[in-house]
């Protein structure tokens, strides 16, 4: 996508000049309705096919979930959660992928300029060519999404199919969903639909139905309709995700102090050069030759 689509970049805390003059772009949102999902994994396969990903086949461990977790070769994963209700076993499915936070902790933690960017439509994207493999984004993400590749040691995650959305197409996972559990559109439209859907669910007896759109990360580019909004942990979601204090200190205190230190050092060096000049080390004067040594040597010969 064009550099004009970037509104925030890792390694800097300022908006890019191009983004400040670009025309207003609507924020886009992916909506996952857990009450409609049947766990078919079509979204997972579509993500793999479109992005040419081939995660290693795992072993059966008592769950239909496969692979066991996200990886650099698996950016979208259907997680299967079993629970018991009224003496019966039930499934809860979670479309697990990048949440595209409005206040992304991964971008805040990354110190490499341009390795992680946030675009004007809300997408948080990784530039693997600039990634140094430090892993700060992995440890900072409150949703545990980014993964380091064991071969090239670079971080990868869902891009919200930026190559599709920039030409007006919906993400591959949304395109292939047959139950309508996944939708994609403007933030305004998706929140409007979610509000109607939650009201329908409450009328059907799901008193605690609600929208998962955590404020601790400024809201997310992927929101979720859950049967019980009071128990997001049962879907494998954190109850109150937020950017950790160490990451905030790194961005707001350590980075600025480091920049100030570099500037101060350069200023002192320049001032010293102007006021004092170069340090010149004079060579030592040769020691005075001791002629008495020659006289003693001559007397010995005689």
């Amino acid at each position: 996508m064009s550099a004009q689509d970037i509104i925030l970049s890792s390694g800097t805390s300022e908006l890019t000049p191009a983004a400040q003059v670009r025309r207003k772009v609507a924020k886009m949102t992916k909506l996952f309705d857990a009450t409609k999902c049947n766990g078919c994994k079509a979204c997972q396969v579509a993500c793999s096919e479109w992005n040419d990903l081939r995660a290693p086949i795992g072993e059966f461990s008592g769950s239909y979930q496969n692979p066991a977790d996200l990886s650099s070769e698996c950016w979208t994963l259907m997680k299967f959660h079993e629970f018991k209700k009224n003496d019966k076993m039930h499934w809860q499915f979670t479309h697990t992928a990048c949440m595209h936070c409005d206040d992304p902790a991964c971008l805040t933690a990354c110190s490499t300029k341009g390795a992680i960017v946030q675009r004007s439509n809300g997408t948080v994207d990784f530039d693997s060519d600039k990634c140094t493999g430090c892993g700060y984004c992995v440890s900072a993400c409150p949703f545990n999404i980014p993964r380091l590749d064991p071969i090239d040691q670079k971080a990868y995650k869902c891009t919200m199919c930026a190559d599709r959305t920039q030409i007006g197409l919906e993400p591959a996972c949304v395109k292939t969903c047959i139950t309508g559990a996944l939708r994609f559109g403007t933030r305004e439209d998706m929140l409007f639909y979610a509000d109607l859907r939650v009201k329908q669910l409450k009328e059907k007896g799901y008193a605690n139905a609600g929208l998962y759109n955590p404020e601790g990360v400024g809201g997310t580019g992927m929101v979720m309709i859950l049967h019980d909004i009071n128990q997001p942990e049962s879907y494998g979601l954190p109850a109150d995700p937020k950017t950790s204090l160490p990451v905030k200190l790194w961005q707001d205190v350590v980075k600025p102090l480091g920049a100030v230190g570099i500037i101060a050092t350069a200023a002192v060096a320049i001032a010293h050069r102007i006021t004092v000049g170069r340090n010149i080390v004079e060579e030592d004067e040769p020691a005075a030759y001791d002629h008495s040594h020659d006289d003693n040597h001559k007397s010995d010969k005689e």
Side-chain angles (χ1 to χ4, degrees), residues 146-159:
R147 294 292 190 274
L148 285 177
D149 186 88
I151 298 176
D152 64 14
Q153 291 300 310
K154 295 180 182 293
Y156 295 92
K157 70 167 188 65
C158 157
T159 65

Side-chain angles (χ1 to χ4, degrees), residues 20-89:
Q20 295 176 8
V21 299
R22 181 173 171 80
R23 62 181 175 81
K24 183 177 177 61
V25 175
K27 283 193 173 182
M28 306 302 290
T29 295
K30 179 166 66 172
L31 171 67
F32 171 65
D33 188 346
T35 67
K36 290 186 176 182
C37 181
N38 63 6
C40 71
K41 298 186 182 179
C43 58
Q44 182 175 321
V45 174
C47 177
S48 175
E49 288 297 317
W50 182 260
N51 295 291
D52 195 22
L53 304 173
R54 293 296 181 268
I57 299 176
E59 297 180 355
F60 182 71
S61 58
S63 173
Y64 290 111
Q65 179 179 312
N66 190 1
D69 200 359
L70 294 171
S71 70
S72 59
E73 291 289 334
C74 178
W75 299 353
T76 298
L77 177 64
M78 285 307 306
K79 288 190 174 181
F80 288 58
H81 306 279
E82 292 183 5
F83 69 99
K84 192 174 183 179
K85 183 178 181 180
N86 298 327
D87 293 328
K88 292 183 179 181
M89 296 301 299

Side-chain angles (χ1 to χ4, degrees), residues 3 8 14 18 61 71 88 112 120 129 147 153 155 169-170 188 208 210 251 286 293:
L8 193 61
E14 297 180 355
S61 58
S71 70
K88 292 183 179 181
T112 305
S120 53
D129 290 336
R147 294 292 190 274
Q153 291 300 310
L169 298 177
E170 56 192 353
E188 183 180 5
N208 295 324
Q251 173 70 16
H293 176 74

Side-chain angles (χ1 to χ4, degrees), residues 7-203:
I7 61 172
L8 193 61
S9 169
S10 59
T12 178
S13 59
E14 297 180 355
L15 291 175
T16 57
Q20 295 176 8
V21 299
R22 181 173 171 80
R23 62 181 175 81
K24 183 177 177 61
V25 175
K27 283 193 173 182
M28 306 302 290
T29 295
K30 179 166 66 172
L31 171 67
F32 171 65
D33 188 346
T35 67
K36 290 186 176 182
C37 181
N38 63 6
C40 71
K41 298 186 182 179
C43 58
Q44 182 175 321
V45 174
C47 177
S48 175
E49 288 297 317
W50 182 260
N51 295 291
D52 195 22
L53 304 173
R54 293 296 181 268
I57 299 176
E59 297 180 355
F60 182 71
S61 58
S63 173
Y64 290 111
Q65 179 179 312
N66 190 1
D69 200 359
L70 294 171
S71 70
S72 59
E73 291 289 334
C74 178
W75 299 353
T76 298
L77 177 64
M78 285 307 306
K79 288 190 174 181
F80 288 58
H81 306 279
E82 292 183 5
F83 69 99
K84 192 174 183 179
K85 183 178 181 180
N86 298 327
D87 293 328
K88 292 183 179 181
M89 296 301 299
H90 297 269
W91 289 102
Q92 284 184 166
F93 307 108
T94 306
H95 176 84
T96 307
C98 179
M99 300 295 288
H100 296 276
C101 307
D102 281 0
D103 182 15
C106 58
L107 188 151
T108 300
C110 181
S111 58
T112 305
K113 188 173 182 179
I116 303 178
V117 298
Q118 185 177 43
R119 303 192 182 279
S120 53
N121 67 356
T123 301
V124 179
D125 203 359
F126 282 16
D127 187 341
S128 60
D129 290 336
K130 297 178 181 178
C131 177
T132 62
C134 66
Y136 291 159
C137 60
V138 177
S139 58
C141 178
F143 297 99
N144 190 29
I145 296 298
R147 294 292 190 274
L148 285 177
D149 186 88
I151 298 176
D152 64 14
Q153 291 300 310
K154 295 180 182 293
Y156 295 92
K157 70 167 188 65
C158 157
T159 65
M160 194 78 87
C161 286
D163 52 347
R164 291 175 59 89
T165 58
Q166 68 175 323
I167 58 174
L169 298 177
E170 56 192 353
C173 59
V174 179
K175 179 69 174 179
T176 195
C177 182
I178 60 175
T179 64
L182 286 173
R183 289 172 173 261
F184 184 75
T186 64
R187 178 72 57 88
E188 183 180 5
D189 287 348
M190 292 301 98
L191 293 181
F192 178 77
Y193 171 81
D195 183 59
L196 294 179
R197 177 60 178 164
V198 168
K199 289 180 180 178
Q200 291 176 356
L201 290 170
K202 288 184 176 181
E203 291 174 357

Side-chain angles (χ1 to χ4, degrees), residues 207-219:
N208 295 324
L211 182 68
Y212 185 77
N213 184 23
E215 296 181 357
V217 291

